[in-house]
Amino acid sequence: MGFISFHSPIGDLSITEKDNAIVSIEWGRGNFELKTPLLKEVQSQITAYFNGKLKEFYLPLNPSGTLYQQKIWQALQTIPYGTTKTYSEIALIAGGSPRSVGKANASNPIPILIPCHRVIGKQNLGGYSGGERLQTKEYLLNIEKLFNTL
């Protein structure tokens, strides 16, 4: 098991690896680090993402959740960089209702890498549970929009 914390444009991030796969990203800084080659690669890829040099992550992920949550998180990973889908569109792909998609998004243990920020409401941004909430979601969407046009 490994653990790393580092600063990003959206605040300090703490990432946990278990059995050679990323299992969580949380906001805040941890008290210890146990860096592994995978965690160093995660930090490198996230840094490249924020600098507009990486549009797709190439990392092993193993989020813990129900079968339904797993299905939603798989669907989120099909949303291309710089684009969005509505909660309703994800519900059509993965099943369930827009509300259940929102609940699965809120439970996403690996935000950014599993891009729940790319899911929006029909008439507004919807919610976001990480960092500074909607401010963080707007930031992520805006940098993707900016770098997607370059």
Side-chain angles (χ1 to χ4, degrees):
M1 186 134 138
F3 181 82
I4 190 172
S5 290
F6 60 93
H7 187 71
S8 80
I10 56 172
D12 291 333
L13 298 175
S14 294
I15 303 174
T16 304
E17 169 203 342
K18 183 177 180 185
D19 299 326
N20 295 315
I22 303 307
V23 295
S24 72
I25 294 180
E26 297 177 3
W27 272 260
R29 197 155 190 90
N31 294 329
F32 73 96
E33 288 191 349
L34 182 55
K35 292 182 182 180
T36 65
L38 175 58
L39 289 171
K40 290 177 186 175
E41 180 61 24
V42 172
Q43 183 176 3
S44 175
Q45 286 191 31
I46 288 176
T47 299
Y49 166 81
F50 281 116
N51 290 327
K53 297 179 181 185
L54 183 77
K55 296 182 179 181
E56 189 172 340
F57 295 101
Y58 302 95
L59 299 162
L61 308 178
N62 190 14
S64 178
T66 67
L67 289 175
Y68 179 70
Q69 289 170 328
Q70 298 282 342
K71 195 171 184 182
I72 296 296
W73 300 333
Q74 288 287 328
L76 300 182
Q77 292 177 72
T78 68
I79 305 171
Y81 178 95
T83 64
T84 59
K85 289 200 181 283
T86 65
Y87 294 95
S88 297
E89 289 173 313
I90 297 299
L92 286 174
I93 294 167
S97 68
R99 184 176 301 263
S100 66
V101 169
K103 286 183 180 183
N105 274 7
S107 300
N108 176 7
I110 313 175
I112 305 168
L113 303 182
I114 298 176
C116 53
H117 60 277
R118 295 180 188 154
V119 182
I120 61 172
K122 285 184 180 178
Q123 299 183 357
N124 59 34
L125 284 180
Y128 196 72
S129 60
E132 298 294 321
R133 310 270 188 239
L134 284 180
Q135 183 179 347
T136 299
K137 185 173 187 169
E138 285 180 294
Y139 183 88
L140 293 168
L141 292 173
N142 286 336
I143 64 165
E144 289 187 10
K145 183 177 179 182
L146 171 69
F147 291 126
N148 204 36
T149 59
L150 297 178

